[in-house]
Amino acid sequence: MNFVIQIKDLHKKFRIPREKRDTLKENILHFYKRVEKEDFHALKNINLDIQHGEFLGIIGKNGSGKSTLLKIIANIYKPTTGEISVNGSVSPFLELGIGFNGDLSARENVYLNGIIMGLSRKEIDEKYNEVLAFAGLDEFMEMRLKNFSSGMQVRLAFAIAATIDTDIYLCDEVLAVGDINFQKKSLNIFSDLKKKGKTVILVSHDLDSIKKFCTKVVLLEKGIITKVGNAEDVVNYYIQKSEE
Ligand code: ADP
Ligand code: MG
């Protein structure tokens, strides 16, 4: 089989501050221990193989570990234990801010991102107009990124990720941001990527789009994969479960 991503027995643990103490007595008694931390298991025992050309959907409630999994695939986080192998270049369109620098202009950020993704300056020059056309932010490109609204940042980030040609595309909640027009463009991009036979991982709460595009869907619940299957089955199972 032609797997581009293989994940074996993967765990991800974060150290998070221990819960706040409520009473004054507890606070006094534990004054020096206030910054104590505890383990939080964001992903548990993840086994997942993704084939070349697969359009994989990841669904699940907020906090179930979807973004953490994408960040591990993008090599932004390391797994705590377990193995992951990724064969191919990755274009991550993840949460706000990754690979962005607020003190640089939007234009400079396009170049910064392109370089991070391995393009030469000349290649970025050639892509720049395409990014602009997709983002629709022409008159703001000399503005510092920190003055962009979060919606504008997401548009720019997705425009960059979608324009650059790579093997694997990671999309985290792209459809949740932007106006209807931008959502339409994003859906067109997904259709294009699918036609080209690219490998795409789409995290979304838009279950219609998940059904429309995904060849396989994974349901994450509290860091555990509780269901894998075709889009119709997994989405319907998830809806049914949410209604219970
Ligand atoms: P989702 O994308 O499904 O909403 P996330 O993967 O963002 O969920 O988060 C899963 C859990 O891991 C959440 O409880 C979140 O608070 C926690 N988490 C994510 N990133 C970190 C981090 N860097 N440090 C500590 N906890 C984190
Ligand atoms: Mg998330």
Side-chain angles (χ1 to χ4, degrees):
M1 283 268 201
N2 191 6
F3 292 122
V4 281
I5 302 173
Q6 282 188 291
I7 301 175
K8 224 171 157 266
D9 300 329
L10 184 142
H11 286 248
K12 180 64 185 175
K13 178 174 88 176
F14 290 114
R15 300 282 291 160
I16 56 168
R18 196 178 279 279
E19 272 174 40
K20 231 180 86 197
R21 295 190 178 82
D22 290 330
T23 67
L24 180 63
K25 186 177 158 200
E26 277 180 310
N27 269 320
I28 292 168
L29 282 176
H30 298 280
F31 183 76
Y32 293 105
K33 290 187 182 168
R34 262 188 176 174
V35 285
E36 243 177 51
K37 296 202 167 171
E38 61 188 4
D39 289 343
F40 176 79
H41 298 270
L43 292 172
K44 298 170 221 168
N45 195 31
I46 302 291
N47 287 287
L48 187 64
D49 292 330
I50 302 164
Q51 270 174 268
H52 178 76
E54 202 153 47
F55 208 117
L56 179 83
I58 303 179
I59 60 176
K61 287 185 192 163
N62 290 328
S64 56
K66 305 181 297 296
S67 298
T68 304
L69 184 55
L70 284 203
K71 284 179 195 163
I72 288 175
I73 295 170
N75 203 17
I76 293 164
Y77 290 160
K78 292 267 174 265
T80 308
T81 59
E83 284 165 35
I84 173 163
S85 81
V86 177
N87 295 309
S89 50
V90 178
S91 178
F93 169 65
L94 303 175
E95 281 166 345
L96 287 183
I98 289 169
F100 271 170
N101 181 332
D103 289 322
L104 299 178
S105 71
R107 183 177 51 77
E108 288 165 327
N109 270 287
V110 173
Y111 280 84
L112 177 66
N113 258 262
I115 287 163
I116 290 173
M117 288 187 205
L119 300 192
S120 69
R121 209 186 157 83
K122 188 163 163 279
E123 286 170 316
I124 305 169
D125 284 340
E126 286 161 10
K127 290 273 181 195
Y128 188 73
N129 284 332
E130 212 180 312
V131 173
L132 270 196
F134 191 88
L137 296 165
D138 307 39
E139 63 265 52
F140 303 104
M141 292 310 285
E142 300 309 320
M143 199 159 121
R144 281 192 197 189
L145 202 73
K146 64 181 169 200
N147 299 321
F148 269 37
S149 71
S150 55
M152 288 160 80
Q153 289 198 28
V154 173
R155 285 174 83 117
L156 185 63
F158 187 54
I160 297 167
T163 306
I164 288 173
D165 190 44
T166 49
D167 304 322
I168 304 163
Y169 291 80
L170 307 178
C171 309
D172 195 351
E173 314 256 16
V174 174
L175 300 168
V177 296
D179 45 43
I180 291 177
N181 224 333
F182 188 76
Q183 284 179 9
K184 262 194 204 147
K185 283 193 211 173
S186 306
L187 294 175
N188 286 339
I189 290 281
F190 293 150
S191 296
D192 261 12
L193 294 175
K194 201 175 158 106
K195 259 187 237 143
K196 285 187 199 154
K198 295 286 186 183
T199 308
V200 181
I201 305 181
L202 174 62
V203 169
S204 183
H205 293 292
D206 177 2
L207 299 176
D208 289 336
S209 294
I210 292 278
K211 276 190 186 175
K212 182 169 174 210
F213 293 108
C214 297
T215 48
K216 178 164 130 185
V217 175
V218 165
L219 173 61
L220 266 180
E221 294 181 279
K222 294 185 180 162
I224 298 169
I225 294 180
T226 54
K227 205 162 175 68
V228 186
N230 71 56
E232 194 74 22
D233 288 351
V234 180
V235 167
N236 290 345
Y237 173 83
Y238 176 56
I239 293 171
Q240 206 180 354
K241 244 194 133 177
S242 313
E243 283 166 356
E244 275 166 14

